[in-house]
Amino acid sequence: MSQEMLDYFDSDMKYLGTADREVVHENGWWHQTFHCWVIRSSGQILFQRRSRYKAEHAGLLDITAAGHLLSGESIMDGVRELEEEIGVRADFEKLINLGLRINAEMLGMKINHEFSHEYFVLDDRDLDEFVLQPEEVEGIFAADINDAIRFFAGQDDVLAMQGVKLSDNNQMKQVDIHVRPVDVVSRIGPYYLTVCLMAQRFLAGETILSI
């Protein structure tokens, strides 16, 4: 058992109880997650590459930093994911709130029900200044937001990204990659496209709507 305890809810987000993470997933109970995308004022959005040793979606590109809210944690506690996974200390008040995403997706043979609290954080540090958690993240990659929009809209087959990855001795190495849809964690609906469009609007100084 994972021994990570999660609060679970009904579909109206009414608290029902607390159980081990694996039990929550096995039963398809609703629970809370925290998703935060790092964006850069130069017009880029960052993806993490999940560790090749992860049980789910190993080696695929995903949200910059994300994880479950543990039992008793508030949404504000979710900022710990940024520090744990990519070494970013962020004030919750400085995050850009994208809203709550009601998320029902397949996790193996089971349905994963999540209330996902979605955010941006603006961070212009160099990629090699991020501190990656090797058990969770093996690389971090930047994509031009306009290129990403065309890719996730299905207009381009390949998306070029520049980034860094951990070598076998956990040293940072610069790499350029060319990404296809199979290289990204699959999510229901136009999730990635929506996020990229919201990032484009935010960086342009325009109003962004809830996800």
Side-chain angles (χ1 to χ4, degrees):
M1 300 289 280
S2 68
Q3 298 305 308
E4 274 191 0
M5 303 302 290
L6 308 181
D7 294 331
Y8 62 92
F9 307 81
D10 66 13
S11 58
D12 293 321
M13 213 174 177
K14 178 182 177 181
Y15 172 78
L16 296 178
T18 300
D20 183 273
R21 171 177 170 170
E22 292 186 10
V23 174
V24 170
H25 283 164
E26 286 171 1
N27 288 279
W29 292 337
W30 288 95
H31 54 284
Q32 297 187 91
T33 57
F34 176 87
H35 295 170
C36 191
W37 290 91
V38 175
I39 56 176
R40 304 166 93 182
S41 56
S42 57
Q44 294 178 316
I45 186 166
L46 305 190
F47 289 74
Q48 70 159 258
R49 176 178 277 168
R50 294 167 64 87
S51 167
R52 73 192 75 178
Y53 303 111
K54 293 285 288 182
E56 291 95 28
H57 310 306
L60 297 184
L61 294 165
D62 201 359
I63 301 158
T64 325
H68 292 79
L69 291 183
L70 303 179
S71 177
E73 286 191 320
S74 69
I75 301 171
M76 292 184 290
D77 293 318
V79 294
R80 64 173 172 77
E81 294 291 347
L82 284 160
E83 185 168 4
E84 290 173 1
E85 294 193 348
I86 60 173
V88 172
R89 290 188 178 183
D91 293 330
F92 181 80
E93 293 76 16
K94 293 184 179 179
L95 302 187
I96 299 98
N97 187 4
L98 307 183
L100 180 70
R101 181 171 179 251
I102 310 302
N103 187 23
E105 298 176 346
M106 294 302 296
L107 187 64
M109 297 300 293
K110 301 178 178 66
I111 297 177
N112 185 42
H113 286 116
E114 294 181 352
F115 296 111
S116 299
H117 302 276
E118 305 276 344
Y119 293 89
F120 287 146
V121 65
L122 189 63
D123 194 306
D124 285 333
R125 76 185 69 193
D126 292 337
L127 294 179
D128 58 8
E129 293 180 34
F130 289 94
V131 181
L132 307 186
Q133 183 182 19
E135 315 86 63
E136 298 287 335
V137 184
E138 67 177 44
I140 191 161
F141 295 89
D144 179 88
I145 290 173
N146 294 323
D147 292 346
I149 288 171
R150 290 193 298 272
F151 176 72
F152 290 114
Q155 297 171 3
D156 292 340
D157 295 329
V158 177
L159 175 62
M161 293 188 186
Q162 299 78 42
V164 293
K165 62 175 290 188
L166 293 174
S167 62
D168 291 338
N169 60 354
N170 287 337
Q171 297 298 308
M172 288 286 205
K173 176 183 178 182
Q174 292 189 352
V175 289
D176 294 338
I177 59 175
H178 291 85
V179 176
R180 297 185 181 276
V182 294
D183 300 317
V184 184
V185 173
S186 177
R187 298 187 183 277
I188 293 173
Y191 172 69
Y192 297 110
L193 177 60
T194 300
V195 167
C196 291
L197 287 168
M198 294 175 80
Q200 183 188 59
R201 290 182 63 87
F202 173 78
L203 293 174
E206 301 175 9
T207 301
I208 57 175
L209 304 176
S210 175
I211 198 166

